[in-house]
Amino acid sequence: MRNQSIGKYLCQCSLGELRHLPASIPRMLSATIVLFFLWMVSYAEERPPSLVAQEGGFSLSVPVVFTQIPARHGTMQSEIPPLRRLAGGSRIVLLDSRQPSKNVEILTRDFFAAGSPDISFDGRRMLFIGKRREEDSLGVWEMELSWHTVRPIVQLATDCIEARYLSTIFTLEATSPEYLICLSNIGADGIGALYTCHMDGTRLRRITFFPDGANHPFQLGDGRLVFSAPTVVEGKARATSRPEKEPRTADCSMLYTVNIDGTDISAFTSTLETPADQTMPCEASDGRVFFVEAARQAGAGTSILFVSRNRSLHSRQTLASMAGGNFCSISSTPDGHLLIGYRAAGAATSGILAMRGEHHAPLVPVFDSADYDEVQAMAVCERPEPAGRSSVVDDQADFGYLYGLNSYLSDTKAGTAIVPGQIKRVEVLKALDSGGRENGTAPARPLNHDPDQSSAASLGLAPVESDGSFFLRVPARTALRLRTLDAQGNTLQSMQSWIWVMPREGRGCIGCHEDRNLSPPNRHVLALRVPPRAVGVAEEPPAKDHTSRQSTHANRPAAEIRRGEP
């Protein structure tokens, strides 16, 4: 036996001989059997999840968690969770249809209110929003699903309304990539913003700066974060001898993308002709990004649409529409199904439905109760982890860079009418809050007195080179808009949405309202051959390999230039 393995020896032993083995051997054998059993259970749980259509409903091969909101609080058709605060008694439950009873298990019994669950990439943990006492603000918590143990991650002075697991980020000061979470917090002014932090709640960083808020974050497979933000759609600027008000045509919510360090903010969906809200994006395994669109006309209902992740501005399609009904939430499963929170017109409560992500696929009931609104369903299973990101954002800096390669490149009617040499200046505008205040100061009036920019104040101007290029050093973490001006100070083209730069981020545009699928021209533009023009921040320190160049008009108020002063 000394020269034989225990396994080989046991295989050669008879049952009678086993009785004479040392006492430690049976214990080892029992432990081996237990470990083998646990491995088999784990293997069974890690099978790819699927939803199997059956008569009368869907049979889920994996558990599902979702939020239940007491029906007495009355989910309004116009209220799309989780934009509203969670009512007392809201809870997260688990449904496992593999169990014969099909009863839901309450996961958050110790909480006054809880909701907005998100499942980790390994399917073993759950991130959620909750509070244990009525007087507390809603914070971010995490639950270990095997043992139902919870731990707090973030508790702020005001309510958090959503939280999402993110992939890793690598920074220059880090020794290895670090996992993050994203959370949506409602500030004291009622405006939402997205933040990231580490898994222990440290290093909280704000990553969105839209003046009207941001919500519904979801990380795409390529690592970008897609989210919804209210947008003011402006009419086209008119080149006249005197600036006039540009007509405001609609308010809506559109989808945008941003990197998880706050850089490279970009529109993900195109401007809407009809006012509507685009919310709750999620991505399927084939790269399609689904979202809910709710028209603002009374009784228009909601729709589920999708776009391609790689060509989101040119691939819009409708998957399902419900006149008078309300799609309250949507999520995708790894096998291509959708879990939907839906409330039919005239129904007392909303319930969970499921459907394949295909045109004309039926909506099949999963769960609905008479006492609760069910929303925010998530499959409890392993899912692919999005690509990680690296970052060079320097939180100690207060500036970033904006550059344009050719302001004459445009696919709008107004832009194509601009002739070379007509653009002389670019003006940088900073967002004001709803009270017309800048950084909490007294109401500020735009320096150019232009009524079409009543929500912004001018930070200054900089020259545009003869080839249409410009290079600016601007304030970081600040909502900005740009517009081009002619020699008389008239607006030629104006941005319709807000952008920002993170500290030391370099952000550029190919043109002005150009086709976003274009590649930049292969040339070294004039503006990038000299140091950037400072607008709203301190000048760039002199560089040894550059010859500084001054401009008599750089950074001067627009009013002085419009008066014809040299």
Side-chain angles (χ1 to χ4, degrees):
M1 178 178 177
R2 183 175 303 172
N3 298 324
Q4 293 176 325
S5 67
I6 292 178
K8 183 177 180 181
Y9 179 78
L10 290 176
C11 292
Q12 295 175 349
C13 288
S14 65
L15 291 176
E17 292 174 321
L18 285 176
R19 289 195 297 268
H20 302 290
L21 289 174
S24 61
I25 299 300
R27 287 198 295 268
M28 293 175 59
L29 182 60
S30 300
T32 302
I33 295 173
V34 170
L35 290 175
F36 178 77
F37 174 76
L38 292 176
W39 177 81
M40 290 295 295
V41 172
S42 174
Y43 175 79
E45 290 180 350
E46 292 176 359
R47 290 179 300 173
S50 63
L51 299 175
V52 183
Q54 293 183 343
E55 184 178 357
F58 266 63
S59 176
L60 282 67
S61 67
V62 293
V64 171
V65 293
F66 50 86
T67 302
Q68 285 189 319
I69 303 173
R72 64 179 181 273
H73 290 280
T75 305
M76 303 301 294
Q77 292 288 345
S78 60
E79 292 179 332
I80 303 177
L83 291 182
R84 60 194 176 109
R85 308 298 201 278
L86 287 172
S90 299
R91 62 191 191 181
I92 299 174
V93 300
L94 182 142
L95 171 67
D96 191 347
S97 62
R98 298 172 299 181
Q99 302 298 323
S101 63
K102 292 190 177 181
N103 291 329
V104 295
E105 178 185 0
I106 303 173
L107 300 179
T108 54
R109 291 184 182 275
D110 296 334
F111 285 78
F112 174 79
S116 190
D118 189 43
I119 302 301
S120 61
F121 304 120
D122 60 8
R124 300 180 185 276
R125 293 166 292 133
M126 180 180 72
L127 208 62
F128 67 98
I129 301 301
K131 61 180 179 180
R132 283 180 162 165
R133 300 182 303 175
E134 183 176 4
E135 60 270 23
D136 294 338
S137 60
L138 290 166
V140 181
W141 299 71
E142 186 180 47
M143 174 179 288
E144 184 71 35
L145 291 173
S146 298
W147 306 102
H148 295 182
T149 56
V150 298
R151 68 180 184 94
I153 296 180
V154 174
Q155 186 75 46
L156 302 177
T158 54
D159 285 342
C160 298
I161 59 173
E162 299 166 274
R164 291 280 187 180
Y165 287 101
L166 299 181
S167 57
T168 57
I169 190 168
F170 184 77
T171 58
L172 295 179
E173 64 270 17
T175 57
S176 61
E178 300 168 300
Y179 282 96
L180 300 178
I181 65 171
C182 176
L183 58 100
S184 177
N185 175 256
I186 302 295
D189 57 359
I191 303 298
L194 301 184
Y195 295 78
T196 61
C197 69
H198 288 203
M199 292 302 301
D200 59 0
T202 60
R203 304 186 71 174
L204 187 69
R205 170 192 281 171
R206 182 173 175 176
I207 62 170
T208 64
F209 301 89
F210 280 118
D212 295 315
N215 48 68
H216 300 299
F218 182 90
Q219 190 174 22
L220 301 174
D222 60 11
R224 292 178 297 165
L225 196 67
V226 61
F227 64 96
S228 175
T231 302
V232 176
V233 181
E234 305 285 351
K236 301 300 181 183
R238 292 175 286 180
T240 61
S241 58
R242 177 178 176 272
E244 297 184 22
K245 186 173 183 179
E246 297 174 346
R248 175 169 160 171
T249 58
D251 287 332
C252 62
S253 293
M254 292 170 50
L255 300 184
Y256 295 83
T257 56
V258 70
N259 292 331
I260 59 177
D261 62 353
T263 60
D264 197 23
I265 176 66
S266 302
F268 188 71
T269 52
S270 56
T271 303
L272 303 174
E273 296 293 335
T274 303
D277 293 312
Q278 298 174 343
T279 57
M280 293 171 287
C282 65
E283 184 180 15
S285 57
D286 60 3
R288 289 181 299 166
V289 179
F290 295 88
F291 57 93
V292 173
E293 183 173 288
R296 291 200 169 183
Q297 291 88 344
T302 58
S303 301
I304 297 176
L305 294 91
F306 65 88
V307 296
S308 166
R309 182 183 69 196
N310 297 328
R311 285 184 55 84
S312 59
L313 297 173
H314 304 281
S315 56
R316 172 188 169 103
Q317 294 188 54
T318 300
L319 180 68
S321 295
M322 290 292 177
N326 185 17
F327 292 113
C328 304
S329 63
I330 181 174
S331 70
S332 60
T333 64
D335 69 334
H337 287 81
L338 300 175
L339 294 173
I340 303 164
Y342 177 70
R343 183 174 184 174
T349 61
S350 60
I352 303 299
L353 306 178
M355 70 176 297
R356 295 183 182 88
E358 303 169 357
H359 290 290
H360 310 299
L363 288 164
V364 183
V366 173
F367 188 88
D368 192 6
S369 67
D371 299 325
Y372 290 90
D373 288 309
E374 282 83 26
V375 292
Q376 302 167 337
M378 295 285 295
V380 181
C381 60
E382 186 178 357
R383 57 191 175 97
E385 182 175 322
R389 290 278 174 164
S390 60
S391 175
V392 294
V393 170
D394 179 6
D395 287 320
Q396 304 304 315
D398 63 354
F399 64 89
Y401 301 99
L402 282 175
Y403 61 88
L405 299 182
N406 187 353
S407 300
Y408 295 102
L409 285 178
S410 179
D411 60 358
T412 67
K413 184 176 180 180
T416 54
I418 300 173
V419 299
Q422 189 176 359
I423 301 175
K424 299 299 183 183
R425 306 282 184 270
V426 59
E427 184 174 23
V428 182
L429 301 136
K430 175 182 178 179
L432 304 177
D433 64 22
S434 58
R437 290 175 171 80
E438 181 179 356
N439 295 329
T441 63
R445 183 174 58 175
L447 298 180
N448 53 22
H449 311 310
D450 193 343
D452 71 329
Q453 298 289 351
S454 58
S455 62
S458 178
L459 291 178
L461 297 98
V464 174
E465 304 292 344
S466 59
D467 62 353
S469 64
F470 59 84
F471 185 24
L472 310 175
R473 176 181 163 110
V474 295
R477 299 190 181 96
T478 304
L480 302 172
R481 280 181 175 174
L482 304 179
R483 60 178 179 175
T484 54
L485 309 174
D486 62 14
Q488 289 73 42
N490 299 315
T491 300
L492 296 175
Q493 290 210 92
S494 178
M495 290 183 63
Q496 298 183 23
S497 59
W498 298 99
I499 60 171
W500 60 82
V501 292
M502 295 298 284
R504 292 192 183 275
E505 176 190 359
R507 174 182 173 81
C509 298
I510 297 174
C512 187
H513 300 295
E514 81 287 356
D515 185 348
R516 292 170 183 163
N517 287 294
L518 289 176
S519 297
N522 186 21
R523 57 190 177 89
H524 190 194
V525 298
L526 296 176
L528 295 180
R529 302 181 189 183
V530 295
R533 305 289 178 153
V535 180
V537 294
E539 292 282 352
E540 183 91 352
K544 295 181 180 180
D545 57 344
H546 282 295
T547 301
S548 62
R549 184 179 67 175
Q550 302 296 325
S551 172
T552 58
H553 290 318
N555 308 320
R556 294 184 55 196
E560 293 183 10
I561 295 177
R562 288 174 184 165
R563 289 197 297 267
E565 298 182 12

